[in-house]
Amino acid sequence: MRTAAAAAALSLLLAWGCGPKRQSEAKPTMKTQPFGTTSDGQAVELFTLANSNGVEIAITNYGGIITAWKAPGRDGRAADIVLGFDTLDGYLAPHPYFGALVGRYANRIAKGTFTLNGVVYKLARNNGENALHGGIKGFDKAVWKARDVSTAAAAALDLTHTSPDGDEGYPGTLTATVVYSLNNNNELRIDYTATSDKDTVVNLTNHSYFNLAGQGEGDILGHELTLMAGRFTPVDAGLIPTGELRSVENTPFDFRRPTAIGARIDAADEQLKLGGGYDHNFVLDAGGGALSLAARVRDPGSGRVLEVLTTQPGIQLYTGNFLDGTITGKGGKVYRRRYGFCLETQHFPDSPNQPSFPSTVLKPGQTYRSTTVYRTSVAK
Ligand code: BGC
């Protein structure tokens, strides 16, 4: 009786609005502004997605580049946590893929060549003798068609690009669509799809460089990383996987428990020497398919946390080893060695030449699909 009476009283109170306060959540917004003109005269725009927690992410349809990502820290102050440039001109000059969409094939393909259905394809070689990140003019340098596809739950930007048959040496006309959406859970969701009119290979990613203390605010060696990966793909001197899936056990590649990125980065380890630090693909335990937590990074100083979820089987940890202070970015900040880290969700590098790796082949009639979520929060 008593319980029933209490329940009735509680439901009355709730009906009167005396229950737990509902957060009045403003719906995420998107604003559009001009961002300049490419060297061949195409106007590009900057889209700023913002949510009710003070997260603000700016994306341009030039290369689908994330140019800024403001996220509050423990002290409530927002900092811009990605490396990049203040203006389009910065991105038009050579740079190491800051914030960009990478395609058709993220990461390396050995000697810029692969065989599909008995046909040998020769790709543009732009990294020594290898092909890297889609070639000389990859998706990072394309002007994507942009559309606002926002809903009540998320501010969303749809970017589409059609790459002609033979572009950078790849077969088939490939149409790629990437939808960036920001919700009030501080999640930037990236949905990739692609179709082709001929058999081809495809591997799409985003190449943001993060520094959770704020861009240009020192190196990322003190950031604590957890990677849900018991194996990685060791590489040769050209950073091409040897084909082995090696256990991380008792190696500096074991991030299964939270460990500072810098704790072992300069250890006397052959693989670290080859990469000049971490520049390796990790084999995610989840195996790809379902959206699963792949990585978590915490900056002890600011309290900012970044989590990465993906449907992809691999993730490249790149610790900005090639940054050398020659690039000046936003607000005049100089980007020195290891001032940013990338967690590029992907299929394994050089898969078109590695029959034992998960396949990157896309056939006409099929749709390539992958999803990655980057989520920020604050740890106490
Ligand atoms: C690669 C690095 C490369 C960087 C910039 C990363 O994905 O693994 O080796 O230097 O991209 O191109």
Side-chain angles (χ1 to χ4, degrees):
M1 273 305 280
R2 249 205 198 150
T3 328
L10 179 64
S11 62
L12 256 180
L13 279 173
L14 286 174
W16 290 336
C18 304
K21 270 242 155 50
R22 281 223 165 175
Q23 290 256 300
S24 65
E25 278 197 341
K27 134 181 175 206
T29 57
M30 187 163 97
K31 118 182 159 220
T32 306
Q33 65 198 95
F35 195 51
T37 307
T38 61
S39 39
D40 57 355
Q42 298 185 71
V44 302
E45 292 176 303
L46 190 68
F47 303 88
T48 307
L49 287 57
N51 75 6
S52 61
N53 310 312
V55 172
E56 225 181 82
I57 301 175
I59 302 166
T60 171
N61 61 323
Y62 177 73
I65 295 171
I66 297 175
T67 63
W69 189 322
K70 293 182 185 144
R74 194 190 286 119
D75 59 5
R77 270 192 324 114
D80 184 352
I81 58 168
V82 292
L83 278 54
F85 303 103
D86 289 317
T87 62
L88 180 64
D89 282 350
Y91 294 103
L92 296 178
H95 70 95
Y97 300 87
F98 287 149
L101 289 180
V102 178
R104 294 184 182 195
Y105 198 96
N107 218 305
R108 293 177 173 80
I109 295 182
K111 301 195 166 61
T113 182
F114 67 96
T115 305
L116 187 60
N117 305 327
V119 181
V120 178
Y121 293 97
K122 299 254 178 244
L123 306 172
R125 298 179 185 198
N126 58 333
N127 186 243
E129 57 173 11
N130 301 322
L132 175 68
H133 293 332
I136 295 159
K137 188 168 188 271
F139 287 7
D140 58 295
K141 296 179 189 72
V143 175
W144 295 61
K145 240 187 233 101
R147 223 156 37 95
D148 181 346
V149 292
S150 300
T151 63
L157 176 67
D158 177 307
L159 297 175
T160 297
H161 172 58
T162 299
S163 163
D165 188 10
D167 198 10
E168 299 291 313
Y170 290 92
T173 310
L174 188 83
T175 299
T177 296
V178 178
V179 179
Y180 283 110
S181 54
L182 174 68
N183 63 19
N184 277 337
N185 293 329
N186 305 335
E187 293 172 333
L188 181 74
R189 182 182 168 111
I190 315 178
D191 291 299
Y192 303 85
T193 54
T195 54
S196 174
D197 62 0
K198 279 188 191 160
D199 287 11
T200 192
V201 295
V202 60
N203 190 26
L204 305 177
T205 196
N206 176 276
H207 206 293
S208 288
Y209 289 66
F210 294 94
N211 186 327
L212 301 181
Q215 62 94 21
E217 298 294 328
D219 65 48
I220 45 74
L221 299 177
H223 286 39
E224 192 187 271
L225 169 67
T226 314
L227 272 177
M228 285 59 189
R231 291 174 298 169
F232 73 108
T233 51
V235 291
D236 66 15
L239 299 181
I240 298 292
T242 60
E244 180 191 351
L245 306 185
R246 186 179 292 173
S247 168
V248 298
E249 188 90 41
N250 297 321
T251 76
F253 290 80
D254 193 347
F255 283 99
R256 289 173 296 179
R257 287 175 209 289
T259 308
I261 290 176
R264 301 158 302 183
I265 200 167
D266 291 318
D269 175 276
E270 179 230 3
Q271 283 297 314
L272 286 174
K273 292 247 146 36
L274 290 170
Y278 298 100
D279 195 351
H280 294 79
N281 170 66
F282 285 73
V283 179
L284 292 169
D285 295 339
L291 188 66
S292 313
L293 186 67
R296 183 173 193 270
V297 189
R298 185 179 73 96
D299 169 36
S302 67
R304 286 189 194 87
V305 171
L306 177 74
E307 286 169 308
V308 186
L309 294 89
T310 190
T311 61
Q312 290 274 30
I315 196 165
Q316 183 88 5
L317 169 63
Y318 171 56
T319 48
N321 312 309
F322 297 118
L323 297 175
D324 59 3
T326 53
I327 294 180
T328 300
K330 289 178 277 188
K333 300 279 187 189
V334 175
Y335 299 144
R336 301 188 199 284
R337 191 161 192 235
R338 299 175 177 162
Y339 264 39
F341 67 89
C342 302
L343 285 167
E344 305 150 52
T345 55
Q346 61 184 4
H347 268 58
F348 307 168
D350 199 32
S351 297
N353 294 308
Q354 301 272 358
S356 66
F357 287 179
S359 171
T360 52
V361 173
L362 176 69
K363 294 176 182 293
Q366 298 178 334
T367 301
Y368 165 96
R369 281 179 210 284
S370 75
T371 297
T372 291
V373 173
Y374 292 99
R375 177 164 66 209
T376 59
S377 58
V378 176
K380 294 289 161 247

